[in-house]
Amino acid sequence: MARTESKLEFDTDWKYSPAPESTDHIRIDPQYELFIGGKFVAPRERQYFDTINPAREKTLARVARADRGDVDRAVAAARRAYERAWSKLEPAERGKYLYRIARMLQERSREFAAIESLDGGKPIRESRDVDVPLAAAHFFYYAGWADKLEYAFPGRRAAPLGVAGQIIPWNFPLLMAAWKIAPALACGNTVVLKPAETTPLTALKLAELMRDVDLPPGVVNIVTGAGDTGAAIVEHPDVDKIAFTGSTEVGRLIQRRLAGTGKHFTLELGGKAANVIFADAAIDQAVEGIVNGIFFNQGHVCCAGSRLLVQESVADEVIAKLKERMETLIVGDPLDKNTDIGAINSAAQLEKIEQYLRIGQAEGGEMYQSSCSLPETGYWCRPTLFSGVSQSNRVVQEEIFGPVLSMQTFRTFQEALDKANNTPYGLSGGVWTDKGAKIFKMTRGIRAGVIWANTFNKFDPSAPFGGYKESGMGREGGLHGLGAYVELY
Amino acid sequence: MSVVASSLPPQLPVLDRVTRVDEVGVEERVARFCSRSIKKESKVRALKLALSMIDLTTLEGQDTRGKVTQLCQKAIHLHDAMPGLPHVAAVCVYPTMVGVARQALHGHDIKVASVATAFPSGMAPLSVKLEDTRVAVQEGADEVDMVISRGEFLQGEYSRVFDEIIAIKEACGRAQLKVILETGELGTLDRVRRASILAMHAGADFIKTSTGKIQPAATLPVTLVMLQAIRDYYHATGRRVGMKPAGGISKAKQAIQYLVMLRETLGEGWLTPEWFRFGASSLVNDLLMQLEKQRTGVYQSADYFSKD
Amino acid sequence: MARRRNSPQSSSPSRLRESIAVRPSPSRTRERAGVRPQARKGKDAGRTGARVPVAKTYKLYIDGKFPRSESGRYYPLQRDDDLVIANVCRGSRKDFRDAVVAARNASGPWSQASAYLRGQVLYRAAEMLEGRSRQFAAELTLQGIARRRAEDEVTATIDRLVYYAGWADKYQQVFSAVNPVATSHFNFSVLEPMGVVAVVAPDSSGLLGLVSNVAPAVVGGNTCVVLASQSLPLSAISFAEVLHAADFPAGVINVLTGLKAELIEQFASHMDVNAVICGDADAAAERKIEELAADNIKRVVLRGGVDWNSAAAQSPYAISDTQETKTTWHPIGS
């Protein structure tokens, strides 16, 4: 349809009043120690660092920094717990601990959601409606596998690996902890987990929860710290398996470090997913899928649909509708229940994003940003769209990890497929069309581990997730997610 | 007020080119609207806006002069104990009651809307439907709510449905025409989208979800699809068309969800009774109770609000 | 006549009275299902001191409600010394008919509920039963099961519920398939619930046996009508209370008590029942069921003689026993 000069005005007289999530029921301690052997213990060198609220730039708590010696203690505790307690339990009883964790997480869901938003910057609506329920669901799902492994691997007997070292990122702190801990424990392993340095709090609250459900001491150990703490875990000789989610850059380092050690490992790394809109798509829902794919969680999503590929005959319509939709996105206080896009996780990440905005413009791209207002303090980025860019642009090739979308057109099916695959990454992809046959042809052709057809960013504990190529290896979730945590005989 | 977009006769649009609609995607978008948190001043404002958008309705075989008069009394005196209330937009009745309503509302700025065209089924010859319309207009209706021929639409007889709307619009004269799609009988959101586009091209001043006589009546997903159709039509032609969800909206919370959806789909231009209406009756008292609760901080009882 | 107290495995029926709806005289009803008389302490010690317990009435469980049998009939549940423990509803074919209607109505929404939700509901049933484990053990003891065995049966039942709750969102992954057909089609086979499943619970296992047959059927999305053990019927009705407390939607599980001989024919011949499970080791009953089931090609699952306490008594195959397989084809092409 031709578009006239009719413009819609979304900044209406009727505005939404602030709707802040109450925080008087949550507890954040001023200082947190390491969680080793079922207790909170001080780090040996008494080193601490601050974790801040990226929306207010205010310190929330001081958190312990684990050094090599602390990691050693944690691994020893995990090993003891594995040999003396966890591997001695009947599998069904192990499962019951996981059920308890799931249920208690459901009971404490509001507190966890509020703390997740405070510590990481994501909107309370997301943490409340997505992160925390999914985390509980992961524990619930894997609880059920504990005594059923004989059915998961035809012809093979599954045995635990021992101690798993797990390093998780800052974009879905609690959810990533659940993705790692639940299958590890279900398969009979014990865990040493390091949350990201900018988002340690929900992992520490999870540690409290582990203690409150009477999980045998040492089965789960949480060691906070930065890159060197992570390195200590990776390099520890008594860790049998490493699970890492984070950047491809660090993933390469880890893979190199593990070479020749015989350790099992899985990596879930970066992505630059293509979101492909065909002319016969349900256009309004496709626009919503674009928005969901790149703007929610501030674009801090490894599987974000950060490259829009739209069929040329509907490109103008899609872009016009997209811009209109971007105007209704509310960027603001993560604790306000109406916020759609929260704070960028850290000053460092904001700087990285802004660098790409500069690069994109320098490369000749046309940058469009919504006209929303931004709060005074904190780290913020408006939803951004780059058009007039192509495969050879850096903003199209490189992962930005922010609310920044690049847009290209295509004419034919094959062209869309070629462009979608023309990347070293391979984590996810999206395809929008009303034609079923085309969906299946596209999913067969895209070289990525997760493909969303007529939807985007959908997760379920029963659905395997993971990447092709440099987006990593191994799968998390579902029956397939068990394989990473067992030895098969 | 009906505005003619151009001097050319209306053209049946190519319905196959109307965008497909994905039901699951629509429901997800609706869920996001429903999780908006409308509190304090923005809630009071929304409640009052919703009140001003109501077409207070009685459409029953057992309607009498007494019933309609009392309904009009309620329209005029929503809740005198609360000052500063807006008045409802209109009262909606059958054609034979239009005269009664006009008399009861004399001197007040509340419109009289009438259903017509063999409401609710529309299963009558065009001549009967035209006469039904003329009676309503002659009796003094400001607005006419017609029903489309769903059977013909489902048979694919789009031209006939289209021509019928044009004819009724002509019979309306100066009265505004709302076209009821009866979305509950259309079945799919794809059809709702097409029917919306068809009705607007035929000259509808408003498109309306339902007669309220069958289930499902108005729903958020159906309304969203219609609002998006209005938006597309507006961008293509520059002509504004209004929207009215009717039936099944009885709680203030639901009404506010509709307003959130309206605001974020069409924006400022439509946030007024001129371009958006609620076809409802019991919604009024729930809005009043919520307003009173906002004022006093205390949950209310239905005993304190008049039921006419 | 075998004495139930010493041989709980015996499948011979308890001594029954003919069903005349006359309440047994008080002198013979010293101990009703429920609570023993307690001596009262304190200032009323000058009186006789015994507190009169409130006896429990056992009804049926149909469509989320606890009605009596529409026939008004009952049979007394007695202990060996002629002591009446309770009056048990003697379910009629009309009760069964109503239960099937309820199960059919509940079948659509329950089969479409997410697997996650079904698992949660079943897990909650385990939570509710755990909280009531002493009551259930006492009730089994009242019906003649030795105390230790009764306690073990209750914990085994709780664990069995947890076991099947855990399968809810997994059995599909174990039994489904994407089929590598030779043509350019995406081809997949999934399991779907059969619909309404009638269950004849084992006579010798009043709680564990019933739950072992019902849980796998409903976790897979079927709805159920269960005939409780005739000689150990009380736990079934108390278990219905647990289901009710666990937020099972009305009609998903319906529990009837009554005479097996009367009701087996109904269970096996009803045209709107999709499958029958017989957990009772009764060759004549099994034969009858198989014959009558043929009328509408009902699927029949025979599980008589299973030791419900063993590990072999639980598996995902108990779920797939009441599932159909649906294969879908779709072209791959642009």
Side-chain angles (χ1 to χ4, degrees), chain A residues 3-4 6 9 12-16 125 284-285 288 324 338 340 458, chain B residues 19 22 28-29 32 35-37 40 42 193 231-232 235-236 263-264 268:
Chain A
R3 296 181 79 83
T4 63
S6 49
E9 181 51 67
T12 63
D13 245 9
W14 172 47
K15 303 199 191 312
Y16 301 150
R125 221 158 126 203
D284 288 319
Q285 286 72 56
E288 199 57 31
E324 235 174 35
N338 287 320
D340 295 315
K458 285 272 167 283
Chain B
T19 182
D22 183 272
E28 283 176 5
R29 181 75 183 106
R32 288 201 78 90
S35 64
R36 285 279 187 233
S37 184
K40 310 182 203 130
S42 62
R193 191 57 166 256
R231 182 200 55 200
D232 286 356
H235 283 310
R263 176 183 188 259
E264 297 189 28
E268 183 72 45

mmCIF file of all heavy atoms in Angstrom, chain A residues 3-4 6 9 12-16 125 284-285 288 324 338 340 458, chain B residues 19 22 28-29 32 35-37 40 42 193 231-232 235-236 263-264 268:
data_model
loop_
_atom_site.group_PDB
_atom_site.id
_atom_site.type_symbol
_atom_site.label_atom_id
_atom_site.label_comp_id
_atom_site.label_asym_id
_atom_site.label_seq_id
_atom_site.Cartn_x
_atom_site.Cartn_y
_atom_site.Cartn_z
ATOM 1 N N ARG A 3 1.970 4.867 0.993
ATOM 2 C CA ARG A 3 1.807 5.576 2.265
ATOM 3 C C ARG A 3 1.711 7.074 2.016
ATOM 4 O O ARG A 3 2.521 7.661 1.322
ATOM 5 C CB ARG A 3 2.981 5.240 3.192
ATOM 6 C CG ARG A 3 2.991 3.766 3.545
ATOM 7 C CD ARG A 3 4.118 3.435 4.482
ATOM 8 N NE ARG A 3 3.833 3.804 5.857
ATOM 9 C CZ ARG A 3 3.132 3.063 6.723
ATOM 10 N NH1 ARG A 3 2.596 1.926 6.339
ATOM 11 N NH2 ARG A 3 2.950 3.461 7.957
ATOM 12 N N THR A 4 0.723 7.681 2.565
ATOM 13 C CA THR A 4 0.530 9.123 2.410
ATOM 14 C C THR A 4 1.282 9.834 3.530
ATOM 15 O O THR A 4 2.002 9.210 4.304
ATOM 16 C CB THR A 4 -0.957 9.476 2.511
ATOM 17 O OG1 THR A 4 -1.390 9.109 3.822
ATOM 18 C CG2 THR A 4 -1.765 8.714 1.488
ATOM 19 N N SER A 6 0.341 10.708 6.273
ATOM 20 C CA SER A 6 -0.363 10.544 7.530
ATOM 21 C C SER A 6 0.605 10.021 8.589
ATOM 22 O O SER A 6 1.150 8.946 8.454
ATOM 23 C CB SER A 6 -1.467 9.514 7.318
ATOM 24 O OG SER A 6 -0.906 8.381 6.677
ATOM 25 N N GLU A 9 0.630 9.850 16.004
ATOM 26 C CA GLU A 9 1.263 10.500 17.144
ATOM 27 C C GLU A 9 1.150 9.616 18.373
ATOM 28 O O GLU A 9 0.075 9.473 18.956
ATOM 29 C CB GLU A 9 0.575 11.847 17.395
ATOM 30 C CG GLU A 9 1.164 12.643 18.547
ATOM 31 C CD GLU A 9 2.683 12.769 18.426
ATOM 32 O OE1 GLU A 9 3.131 13.436 17.483
ATOM 33 O OE2 GLU A 9 3.396 12.196 19.254
ATOM 34 N N THR A 12 1.147 10.603 23.402
ATOM 35 C CA THR A 12 -0.186 11.149 23.618
ATOM 36 C C THR A 12 -0.257 11.956 24.915
ATOM 37 O O THR A 12 0.599 11.852 25.788
ATOM 38 C CB THR A 12 -1.205 10.008 23.706
ATOM 39 O OG1 THR A 12 -0.885 9.193 24.855
ATOM 40 C CG2 THR A 12 -1.160 9.149 22.459
ATOM 41 N N ASP A 13 -1.348 12.695 25.003
ATOM 42 C CA ASP A 13 -1.657 13.433 26.228
ATOM 43 C C ASP A 13 -1.776 12.495 27.421
ATOM 44 O O ASP A 13 -1.373 12.804 28.539
ATOM 45 C CB ASP A 13 -3.014 14.126 26.041
ATOM 46 C CG ASP A 13 -2.847 15.628 26.044
ATOM 47 O OD1 ASP A 13 -1.689 16.092 26.011
ATOM 48 O OD2 ASP A 13 -3.871 16.321 26.093
ATOM 49 N N TRP A 14 -2.402 11.385 27.169
ATOM 50 C CA TRP A 14 -2.560 10.379 28.218
ATOM 51 C C TRP A 14 -1.259 9.598 28.314
ATOM 52 O O TRP A 14 -0.921 8.846 27.418
ATOM 53 C CB TRP A 14 -3.724 9.443 27.887
ATOM 54 C CG TRP A 14 -3.851 8.261 28.800
ATOM 55 C CD1 TRP A 14 -3.804 8.268 30.167
ATOM 56 C CD2 TRP A 14 -4.048 6.900 28.422
ATOM 57 N NE1 TRP A 14 -3.967 6.998 30.658
ATOM 58 C CE2 TRP A 14 -4.121 6.136 29.613
ATOM 59 C CE3 TRP A 14 -4.180 6.233 27.197
ATOM 60 C CZ2 TRP A 14 -4.320 4.746 29.618
ATOM 61 C CZ3 TRP A 14 -4.378 4.860 27.199
ATOM 62 C CH2 TRP A 14 -4.444 4.124 28.410
ATOM 63 N N LYS A 15 -0.510 9.807 29.395
ATOM 64 C CA LYS A 15 0.767 9.109 29.559
ATOM 65 C C LYS A 15 0.636 8.057 30.651
ATOM 66 O O LYS A 15 -0.265 8.123 31.483
ATOM 67 C CB LYS A 15 1.840 10.143 29.961
ATOM 68 C CG LYS A 15 1.948 11.254 28.940
ATOM 69 C CD LYS A 15 3.257 12.002 29.051
ATOM 70 C CE LYS A 15 3.247 13.266 28.216
ATOM 71 N NZ LYS A 15 2.768 13.092 26.838
ATOM 72 N N TYR A 16 1.554 7.104 30.655
ATOM 73 C CA TYR A 16 1.543 6.093 31.702
ATOM 74 C C TYR A 16 2.281 6.642 32.913
ATOM 75 O O TYR A 16 3.413 7.070 32.818
ATOM 76 C CB TYR A 16 2.245 4.824 31.233
ATOM 77 C CG TYR A 16 1.639 4.177 30.008
ATOM 78 C CD1 TYR A 16 2.440 3.462 29.129
ATOM 79 C CD2 TYR A 16 0.281 4.260 29.722
ATOM 80 C CE1 TYR A 16 1.910 2.839 28.004
ATOM 81 C CE2 TYR A 16 -0.258 3.655 28.601
ATOM 82 C CZ TYR A 16 0.557 2.945 27.750
ATOM 83 O OH TYR A 16 0.031 2.336 26.640
ATOM 84 N N ARG A 125 9.482 -6.578 33.769
ATOM 85 C CA ARG A 125 8.487 -7.368 33.052
ATOM 86 C C ARG A 125 9.126 -8.615 32.459
ATOM 87 O O ARG A 125 8.552 -9.689 32.442
ATOM 88 C CB ARG A 125 7.941 -6.520 31.917
ATOM 89 C CG ARG A 125 6.479 -6.630 31.703
ATOM 90 C CD ARG A 125 6.044 -5.413 30.980
ATOM 91 N NE ARG A 125 5.326 -5.707 29.776
ATOM 92 C CZ ARG A 125 5.221 -4.871 28.757
ATOM 93 N NH1 ARG A 125 5.834 -3.714 28.779
ATOM 94 N NH2 ARG A 125 4.516 -5.193 27.707
ATOM 95 N N ASP A 284 2.337 -7.698 10.043
ATOM 96 C CA ASP A 284 2.310 -7.052 11.361
ATOM 97 C C ASP A 284 2.963 -7.928 12.417
ATOM 98 O O ASP A 284 3.677 -7.438 13.298
ATOM 99 C CB ASP A 284 0.867 -6.744 11.770
ATOM 100 C CG ASP A 284 0.276 -5.585 10.961
ATOM 101 O OD1 ASP A 284 0.998 -4.603 10.735
ATOM 102 O OD2 ASP A 284 -0.893 -5.684 10.567
ATOM 103 N N GLN A 285 2.714 -9.237 12.329
ATOM 104 C CA GLN A 285 3.321 -10.131 13.309
ATOM 105 C C GLN A 285 4.824 -10.262 13.049
ATOM 106 O O GLN A 285 5.605 -10.430 13.973
ATOM 107 C CB GLN A 285 2.661 -11.507 13.284
ATOM 108 C CG GLN A 285 1.269 -11.515 13.919
ATOM 109 C CD GLN A 285 0.236 -10.821 13.059
ATOM 110 O OE1 GLN A 285 0.058 -11.195 11.896
ATOM 111 N NE2 GLN A 285 -0.427 -9.817 13.603
ATOM 112 N N GLU A 288 6.478 -7.417 14.681
ATOM 113 C CA GLU A 288 6.574 -7.690 16.116
ATOM 114 C C GLU A 288 7.718 -8.650 16.390
ATOM 115 O O GLU A 288 8.433 -8.528 17.379
ATOM 116 C CB GLU A 288 5.243 -8.267 16.595
ATOM 117 C CG GLU A 288 5.016 -8.176 18.078
ATOM 118 C CD GLU A 288 5.106 -6.765 18.611
ATOM 119 O OE1 GLU A 288 4.773 -5.802 17.890
ATOM 120 O OE2 GLU A 288 5.544 -6.613 19.766
ATOM 121 N N GLU A 324 7.376 2.816 13.101
ATOM 122 C CA GLU A 324 6.195 3.174 13.894
ATOM 123 C C GLU A 324 6.193 2.405 15.203
ATOM 124 O O GLU A 324 5.926 2.950 16.274
ATOM 125 C CB GLU A 324 4.932 2.800 13.109
ATOM 126 C CG GLU A 324 3.965 3.929 12.918
ATOM 127 C CD GLU A 324 2.811 3.546 12.014
ATOM 128 O OE1 GLU A 324 2.371 2.376 12.048
ATOM 129 O OE2 GLU A 324 2.348 4.422 11.284
ATOM 130 N N ASN A 338 6.271 -0.755 33.172
ATOM 131 C CA ASN A 338 5.945 -0.453 31.778
ATOM 132 C C ASN A 338 7.155 -0.365 30.872
ATOM 133 O O ASN A 338 7.015 -0.207 29.677
ATOM 134 C CB ASN A 338 5.164 0.861 31.693
ATOM 135 C CG ASN A 338 3.743 0.685 32.193
ATOM 136 O OD1 ASN A 338 3.110 -0.330 31.915
ATOM 137 N ND2 ASN A 338 3.260 1.648 32.949
ATOM 138 N N ASP A 340 9.917 -1.297 28.397
ATOM 139 C CA ASP A 340 10.142 -2.355 27.412
ATOM 140 C C ASP A 340 11.625 -2.668 27.267
ATOM 141 O O ASP A 340 12.018 -3.804 27.080
ATOM 142 C CB ASP A 340 9.617 -1.928 26.034
ATOM 143 C CG ASP A 340 8.116 -1.742 26.026
ATOM 144 O OD1 ASP A 340 7.415 -2.611 26.579
ATOM 145 O OD2 ASP A 340 7.650 -0.730 25.470
ATOM 146 N N LYS A 458 11.997 -17.814 21.330
ATOM 147 C CA LYS A 458 11.175 -18.693 22.150
ATOM 148 C C LYS A 458 12.079 -19.745 22.765
ATOM 149 O O LYS A 458 12.921 -20.326 22.085
ATOM 150 C CB LYS A 458 10.119 -19.392 21.283
ATOM 151 C CG LYS A 458 9.007 -18.468 20.916
ATOM 152 C CD LYS A 458 7.924 -18.485 21.973
ATOM 153 C CE LYS A 458 6.932 -17.371 21.836
ATOM 154 N NZ LYS A 458 7.405 -16.082 22.288
ATOM 155 N N THR B 19 -2.763 -8.314 3.958
ATOM 156 C CA THR B 19 -1.778 -9.134 4.646
ATOM 157 C C THR B 19 -2.411 -10.268 5.433
ATOM 158 O O THR B 19 -3.511 -10.151 5.965
ATOM 159 C CB THR B 19 -0.920 -8.263 5.596
ATOM 160 O OG1 THR B 19 0.068 -9.098 6.225
ATOM 161 C CG2 THR B 19 -1.757 -7.634 6.687
ATOM 162 N N ASP B 22 -1.228 -13.799 11.652
ATOM 163 C CA ASP B 22 -0.834 -14.986 12.424
ATOM 164 C C ASP B 22 -1.445 -14.906 13.820
ATOM 165 O O ASP B 22 -1.136 -14.014 14.602
ATOM 166 C CB ASP B 22 0.697 -15.060 12.512
ATOM 167 C CG ASP B 22 1.156 -16.305 13.239
ATOM 168 O OD1 ASP B 22 1.271 -16.255 14.480
ATOM 169 O OD2 ASP B 22 1.380 -17.323 12.582
ATOM 170 N N GLU B 28 0.280 -12.973 21.258
ATOM 171 C CA GLU B 28 1.462 -12.552 22.018
ATOM 172 C C GLU B 28 1.528 -11.037 22.134
ATOM 173 O O GLU B 28 1.877 -10.492 23.180
ATOM 174 C CB GLU B 28 2.732 -13.087 21.356
ATOM 175 C CG GLU B 28 2.933 -14.569 21.646
ATOM 176 C CD GLU B 28 4.128 -15.151 20.933
ATOM 177 O OE1 GLU B 28 4.885 -14.408 20.276
ATOM 178 O OE2 GLU B 28 4.295 -16.383 21.043
ATOM 179 N N ARG B 29 1.198 -10.353 21.056
ATOM 180 C CA ARG B 29 1.223 -8.886 21.106
ATOM 181 C C ARG B 29 0.186 -8.396 22.108
ATOM 182 O O ARG B 29 0.431 -7.483 22.893
ATOM 183 C CB ARG B 29 0.921 -8.317 19.709
ATOM 184 C CG ARG B 29 0.953 -6.806 19.652
ATOM 185 C CD ARG B 29 2.388 -6.294 19.695
ATOM 186 N NE ARG B 29 2.433 -4.839 19.721
ATOM 187 C CZ ARG B 29 2.740 -4.115 20.792
ATOM 188 N NH1 ARG B 29 3.008 -4.699 21.944
ATOM 189 N NH2 ARG B 29 2.794 -2.792 20.726
ATOM 190 N N ARG B 32 1.310 -8.554 25.661
ATOM 191 C CA ARG B 32 2.178 -7.441 26.076
ATOM 192 C C ARG B 32 1.350 -6.216 26.447
ATOM 193 O O ARG B 32 1.675 -5.498 27.375
ATOM 194 C CB ARG B 32 3.182 -7.086 24.982
ATOM 195 C CG ARG B 32 4.279 -8.135 24.819
ATOM 196 C CD ARG B 32 5.505 -7.565 24.145
ATOM 197 N NE ARG B 32 6.310 -6.768 25.059
ATOM 198 C CZ ARG B 32 7.301 -7.232 25.814
ATOM 199 N NH1 ARG B 32 7.594 -8.504 25.789
ATOM 200 N NH2 ARG B 32 7.984 -6.409 26.599
ATOM 201 N N SER B 35 0.020 -6.613 29.894
ATOM 202 C CA SER B 35 0.932 -6.521 31.032
ATOM 203 C C SER B 35 1.401 -5.099 31.285
ATOM 204 O O SER B 35 2.275 -4.865 32.099
ATOM 205 C CB SER B 35 2.120 -7.468 30.841
ATOM 206 O OG SER B 35 2.888 -7.082 29.732
ATOM 207 N N ARG B 36 0.821 -4.144 30.613
ATOM 208 C CA ARG B 36 1.092 -2.751 30.952
ATOM 209 C C ARG B 36 0.473 -2.480 32.319
ATOM 210 O O ARG B 36 -0.578 -3.019 32.646
ATOM 211 C CB ARG B 36 0.455 -1.793 29.935
ATOM 212 C CG ARG B 36 1.195 -1.724 28.605
ATOM 213 C CD ARG B 36 2.376 -0.809 28.701
ATOM 214 N NE ARG B 36 3.013 -0.580 27.409
ATOM 215 C CZ ARG B 36 4.314 -0.765 27.181
ATOM 216 N NH1 ARG B 36 5.102 -1.193 28.137
ATOM 217 N NH2 ARG B 36 4.812 -0.501 25.982
ATOM 218 N N SER B 37 1.150 -1.621 33.085
ATOM 219 C CA SER B 37 0.675 -1.326 34.427
ATOM 220 C C SER B 37 0.172 0.108 34.475
ATOM 221 O O SER B 37 0.953 1.048 34.450
ATOM 222 C CB SER B 37 1.840 -1.532 35.404
ATOM 223 O OG SER B 37 1.424 -1.349 36.715
ATOM 224 N N LYS B 40 -2.502 5.112 39.220
ATOM 225 C CA LYS B 40 -2.620 6.496 39.694
ATOM 226 C C LYS B 40 -3.293 7.417 38.673
ATOM 227 O O LYS B 40 -4.374 7.116 38.180
ATOM 228 C CB LYS B 40 -1.236 7.019 40.094
ATOM 229 C CG LYS B 40 -0.477 6.093 41.023
ATOM 230 C CD LYS B 40 0.872 6.675 41.420
ATOM 231 C CE LYS B 40 1.831 5.591 41.859
ATOM 232 N NZ LYS B 40 3.136 5.630 41.246
ATOM 233 N N SER B 42 -2.697 8.115 35.611
ATOM 234 C CA SER B 42 -2.967 7.586 34.280
ATOM 235 C C SER B 42 -4.164 6.640 34.324
ATOM 236 O O SER B 42 -4.895 6.518 33.342
ATOM 237 C CB SER B 42 -1.732 6.894 33.689
ATOM 238 O OG SER B 42 -1.339 5.795 34.455
ATOM 239 N N ARG B 193 -9.515 -9.279 9.036
ATOM 240 C CA ARG B 193 -8.701 -8.238 8.380
ATOM 241 C C ARG B 193 -9.312 -7.856 7.041
ATOM 242 O O ARG B 193 -9.452 -6.671 6.693
ATOM 243 C CB ARG B 193 -7.285 -8.780 8.195
ATOM 244 C CG ARG B 193 -6.240 -7.764 7.769
ATOM 245 C CD ARG B 193 -6.116 -6.602 8.717
ATOM 246 N NE ARG B 193 -4.915 -5.837 8.478
ATOM 247 C CZ ARG B 193 -3.830 -5.906 9.237
ATOM 248 N NH1 ARG B 193 -3.806 -6.707 10.272
ATOM 249 N NH2 ARG B 193 -2.792 -5.163 8.955
ATOM 250 N N ARG B 231 -5.231 1.432 10.600
ATOM 251 C CA ARG B 231 -3.953 2.132 10.439
ATOM 252 C C ARG B 231 -3.461 2.033 9.007
ATOM 253 O O ARG B 231 -3.053 3.021 8.397
ATOM 254 C CB ARG B 231 -2.937 1.530 11.413
ATOM 255 C CG ARG B 231 -1.579 2.196 11.395
ATOM 256 C CD ARG B 231 -0.541 1.273 11.980
ATOM 257 N NE ARG B 231 -0.562 0.008 11.258
ATOM 258 C CZ ARG B 231 -0.081 -1.131 11.710
ATOM 259 N NH1 ARG B 231 0.478 -1.192 12.891
ATOM 260 N NH2 ARG B 231 -0.160 -2.215 10.988
ATOM 261 N N ASP B 232 -3.507 0.797 8.442
ATOM 262 C CA ASP B 232 -3.050 0.626 7.065
ATOM 263 C C ASP B 232 -3.888 1.467 6.108
ATOM 264 O O ASP B 232 -3.371 2.110 5.184
ATOM 265 C CB ASP B 232 -3.174 -0.851 6.637
ATOM 266 C CG ASP B 232 -2.109 -1.719 7.280
ATOM 267 O OD1 ASP B 232 -1.239 -1.169 7.985
ATOM 268 O OD2 ASP B 232 -2.147 -2.941 7.084
ATOM 269 N N HIS B 235 -2.973 5.174 6.373
ATOM 270 C CA HIS B 235 -1.724 5.493 5.680
ATOM 271 C C HIS B 235 -1.909 5.480 4.171
ATOM 272 O O HIS B 235 -1.283 6.248 3.447
ATOM 273 C CB HIS B 235 -0.625 4.504 6.065
ATOM 274 C CG HIS B 235 -0.028 4.771 7.405
ATOM 275 N ND1 HIS B 235 0.422 6.015 7.795
ATOM 276 C CD2 HIS B 235 0.202 3.946 8.467
ATOM 277 C CE1 HIS B 235 0.893 5.955 9.036
ATOM 278 N NE2 HIS B 235 0.768 4.711 9.465
ATOM 279 N N ALA B 236 -2.799 4.606 3.683
ATOM 280 C CA ALA B 236 -2.976 4.489 2.232
ATOM 281 C C ALA B 236 -3.858 5.587 1.670
ATOM 282 O O ALA B 236 -3.676 6.016 0.525
ATOM 283 C CB ALA B 236 -3.571 3.117 1.896
ATOM 284 N N ARG B 263 -3.915 3.178 22.082
ATOM 285 C CA ARG B 263 -2.874 4.199 22.148
ATOM 286 C C ARG B 263 -1.630 3.765 21.401
ATOM 287 O O ARG B 263 -1.012 4.556 20.693
ATOM 288 C CB ARG B 263 -2.533 4.460 23.617
ATOM 289 C CG ARG B 263 -1.385 5.427 23.805
ATOM 290 C CD ARG B 263 -1.043 5.585 25.280
ATOM 291 N NE ARG B 263 -0.080 6.655 25.475
ATOM 292 C CZ ARG B 263 1.218 6.457 25.662
ATOM 293 N NH1 ARG B 263 1.703 5.249 25.670
ATOM 294 N NH2 ARG B 263 2.030 7.487 25.827
ATOM 295 N N GLU B 264 -1.238 2.499 21.587
ATOM 296 C CA GLU B 264 0.030 2.053 21.009
ATOM 297 C C GLU B 264 -0.099 1.578 19.571
ATOM 298 O O GLU B 264 0.897 1.265 18.939
ATOM 299 C CB GLU B 264 0.650 0.965 21.900
ATOM 300 C CG GLU B 264 0.984 1.506 23.285
ATOM 301 C CD GLU B 264 1.799 0.547 24.129
ATOM 302 O OE1 GLU B 264 2.544 -0.270 23.566
ATOM 303 O OE2 GLU B 264 1.698 0.623 25.377
ATOM 304 N N GLU B 268 -2.605 9.245 19.432
ATOM 305 C CA GLU B 268 -3.418 10.364 19.924
ATOM 306 C C GLU B 268 -4.706 10.568 19.135
ATOM 307 O O GLU B 268 -5.769 10.822 19.711
ATOM 308 C CB GLU B 268 -2.555 11.628 19.874
ATOM 309 C CG GLU B 268 -3.224 12.880 20.408
ATOM 310 C CD GLU B 268 -3.370 12.869 21.914
ATOM 311 O OE1 GLU B 268 -2.395 12.502 22.594
ATOM 312 O OE2 GLU B 268 -4.457 13.207 22.414
#
